[in-house]
Each structure stands twice: as C-alpha cells, then as structure tokens.
C-alpha cells in the first residue's frame, strides 16, 4: 500500500494538471481497502487512471486508487466465458488479453485509456459497443463501512456514459472487481463509422484484425495524452427529439446522426466543427485538429483556461443549433 500526504497528481491525470492531493492512497487488495476505510476523513475521490477528469485546483481530500490486479477465468460454457478482472488492471491490457486468447466482446473497445474499475463506472463505449454489453457483475465495497456488495448488470442502471456509480451511488462505493461475459465464437460488430473501410478487403476478419483497425482509427484521430494532455471526448453527444433533429437537418442535410431510444443522437464533435472550432484555441487550451470533441492542453494550460474554452464552445453550439451540450469529463 502507498500512502502519501500533499501528493502531486501531475502524472495521475491525462489532462496534465499540476495539482496536489492532501492525501493519496493506493491499495493492492480488498483487505487493504477494508483496513484503510476507518482512516478516511473528509472528501474522498476514487480515481482510476485519471483519463476522464479535469482537476479545477488542488484536491483538499483523499484520493484513492486501486492497484487490485488479476485476470481470472471463473466460468466456462460451450460458447461463453466469465472473466473476473481486478479494478486496477489497465483496461487495454485486459482487451489485449481477451483478443490474444480469441475471446470476443471487447475488441471494439481497444485502446480506450483508463482502468477496469472505471469501465464499469463510466460505461465506456466506442465503435458500436459499450462496457454494459459485456459486464456481468460488478463487485464493490461500501466506503462507509467496508461491506462488500455485488451488483448485477441491471442493478448498475447503465445508459450512455452513465451508471448508478456516477449518479445515485456517486462516491459511495469502490469497485474492486468486474466480471465480463466474453464469447468463444466472437460476433463481430463492424457497422460503426469507417471500421469496414479500414479493414479493407480482408478475406477473413478476426477479432485481432478488428482490434488493429480500431487502434489505427484511434491513433489517427485522437491525441496521445503522453504527447498532448487531454481526456478523450470532452463532451457527451446530445440526444434530441425527432422534431428538433428534422428542423436542424433542413439546414444541414449532411449532418451525421444516430437513431437511439428516445430520439436522435447528434455528434457534438460535428457541431463544434461546424462552429469553426476544430484546431482553434483560447489561451493554452485547444480543440484537437482531427476530432473537435476533444479539448487539449497545449502546454501548461490551467483548468480555468480549459473551462473557459468549454463554456465558449457550449455557448456557440447553443447559439448555432439551439442544443445544449454537456461535458463528459468529470470536473473535480
Ligand atoms: N465529426 C466531425 N468533425 C469532428 C468530429 C466528428 O464532422 O471534428 C463527425 C464524424 O465525421 C462522424 C461523427 O461526427 O460523422 C461522429 O464522429 P466519431 O465517429 O469520431 O465519434 P464521436 O461521436 O465524435 C464517440 C465517442 C468516442 C468514440 C467514438 C467512436 C462520445 C462522447 N465519444 O465520439 O469516445 O471513440 O464515438 O465510437 O460518445 C471518449 O469517450 O473519450 C471517446 C473518444
């Protein structure tokens, strides 16, 4: 276990904010977590790899980080597997493991930054697949009394980038393990965007080639946080009513969209791009030049600069399209 006071978080948040936590604790097991719960006081923030958050300043509380590791096959049937993974495993290490073993279900989620615990909080998603499609169980510990609880998939209230852990139970539980349901005979999902185009005319498409295609698409579009601070998509894609969608489509017939439950989803990145923000900046906060949904730290940006850019973009999108967009990134 690591336990530090006045700990610098620069290397623990992909936006590259130079901030400090009053206390930082990294635990390696459920037993260690249980033992440290009585020592917690004040505000507690459970972090993963810090790839989806923006610190607004120093954190006057305790940051917890799980280093619970392990990938374990717990059940196998004729065509499915249940795999239990420690919350502190790097998400893409688990995806690589699944693909190497020929187990399908997570290959479209290749190269998403972050850790396994956060996949279940954030319901990470990309290229037509969401974590909720493969999560069977989530094991968690109540941070008020150390009691363990197992959440079935339906109990997690999953929706687009939402879960019970981000809403009703926000800050109340630490996720210790996630059990995923994978397929022995993978069902490939190739419908989203340009996956098929990137795969080209391959005779036999495998989960290995899908993983490679997704890695190539992401590398071409998304900035590497090691090179330029960012937290992936800064905004969520809004869902609007069919009437609203049709009225905008009259003026913008090329607008991309996806039919979803309850309305039509319009890519916020496209709207921000239409507002002329792609590749532009305000101070040291910028809009990525290949994907306008991603805000970047151009070097030494403060959180105020990022937030000012965020607010300016939201206003411009509202003024042009009459749609409110909201950050996906958690601001702390
Ligand atoms: N578009 C533009 N200009 C832009 C950006 C996008 O015109 O600057 C258009 C694209 O051409 C496309 C549409 O908007 O027609 C959607 O773009 P894209 O496929 O890149 O996906 P997205 O909706 O912008 C979402 C996720 C990403 C995920 C991709 C692929 C959210 C908030 N973001 O982005 O997730 O990788 O789909 O599935 O849902 C993340 O969450 O950090 C993330 C990167």
């Amino acid at each position: 276990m690591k336990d530090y006071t006045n700990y610098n978080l620069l290397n623990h948040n992909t936006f590259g904010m130079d901030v400090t936590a009053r206390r930082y604790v990294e635990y390696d097991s459920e037993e260690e977590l249980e033992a440290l719960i009585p020592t917690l006081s004040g505000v507690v923030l459970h972090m993963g790899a810090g790839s989806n958050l923006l610190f607004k300043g120093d954190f006057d509380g305790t940051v917890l980080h799980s280093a619970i590791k392990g990938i374990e096959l717990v059940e196998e049937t004729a065509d499915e597997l249940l795999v239990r993974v420690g919350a502190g495993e790097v998400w893409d290490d688990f995806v690589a493991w699944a693909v190497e073993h020929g187990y399908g279900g997570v290959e479209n989620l290749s190269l998403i930054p972050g850790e396994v615990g956060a996949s279940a909080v954030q319901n990470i998603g990309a290229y037509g697949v969401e974590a909720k499609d493969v999560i069977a169980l989530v094991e968690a510990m109540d941070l008020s009394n150390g009691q363990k609880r197992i959440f079935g998939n339906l109990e997690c209230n999953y929706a687009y980038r939402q879960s019970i852990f981000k809403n009703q139970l926000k800050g109340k539980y630490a996720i210790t393990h996630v059990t995923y349901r994978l397929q022995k005979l993978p069902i490939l999902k190739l419908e989203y965007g340009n996956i098929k185009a990137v795969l080209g005319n391959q005779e036999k498409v495998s989960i290995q080639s899908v993983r490679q295609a997704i890695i190539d698409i992401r590398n071409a579009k998304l900035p590497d946080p090691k090179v330029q601070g960012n937290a992936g998509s800064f905004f969520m894609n809004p869902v609007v009513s069919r009437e609203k969608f049709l009225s905008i489509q009259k003026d913008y017939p090329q607008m991309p969209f996806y039919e979803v439950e309850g309305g039509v989803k319009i890519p916020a990145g496209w709207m921000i791009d239409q507002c002329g923000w792609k590749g532009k900046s305000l101070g040291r906060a910028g809009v990525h030049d290949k994907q306008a949904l991603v805000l970047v730290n151009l070097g030494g940006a403060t959180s105020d600069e990022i937030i000012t850019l965020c607010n300016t973009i939201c206003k411009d999108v509202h003024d042009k399209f009459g749609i409110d967009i909201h950050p996906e990134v958690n601001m702390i």
Side-chain angles (χ1 to χ4, degrees), residues 126-127 160-161 192 221 233 235 237 270 273 278 291-292:
Y127 307 102
Y160 170 61
R161 298 295 199 270
Y192 187 95
K221 273 198 171 181
S233 301
F235 301 97
N237 288 329
W270 177 84
D273 195 356
K278 199 175 194 165
Q291 164 48 295

Side-chain angles (χ1 to χ4, degrees), residues 51-52 108 112-113 122 124-129 160-161 192-194 217-218 221-222 230-237 254-258 265-274 278 287-294 328-329:
S51 49
N52 198 50
N108 288 38
I112 294 185
Q122 187 62 13
I124 57 172
Y127 307 102
V129 176
Y160 170 61
R161 298 295 199 270
Y192 187 95
N194 57 344
I217 296 170
R218 290 188 72 96
K221 273 198 171 181
L222 298 170
N230 74 87
S233 301
F234 196 90
F235 301 97
M236 287 187 273
N237 288 329
Q254 316 295 346
M255 173 170 65
F257 64 93
Y258 311 95
K265 190 185 270 186
I266 302 180
W270 177 84
M271 291 191 281
I272 298 167
D273 195 356
Q274 292 294 310
K278 199 175 194 165
V287 179
H288 187 50
D289 57 1
K290 299 193 185 75
Q291 164 48 295
L293 198 56
V294 180
E328 185 207 354
V329 165

Side-chain angles (χ1 to χ4, degrees), residues 158-187:
Y158 283 127
Y160 170 61
R161 298 295 199 270
Q162 298 296 338
S163 73
I164 197 166
F165 308 108
K166 279 185 83 175
N167 295 298
Q168 297 92 319
L169 297 182
K170 188 172 178 176
K172 295 208 170 5
Y173 281 87
I175 291 177
T176 54
H177 295 87
V178 184
T179 300
Y180 300 92
R181 189 184 302 280
L182 302 178
Q183 270 98 45
K184 284 185 178 169
L185 296 171
I187 305 152

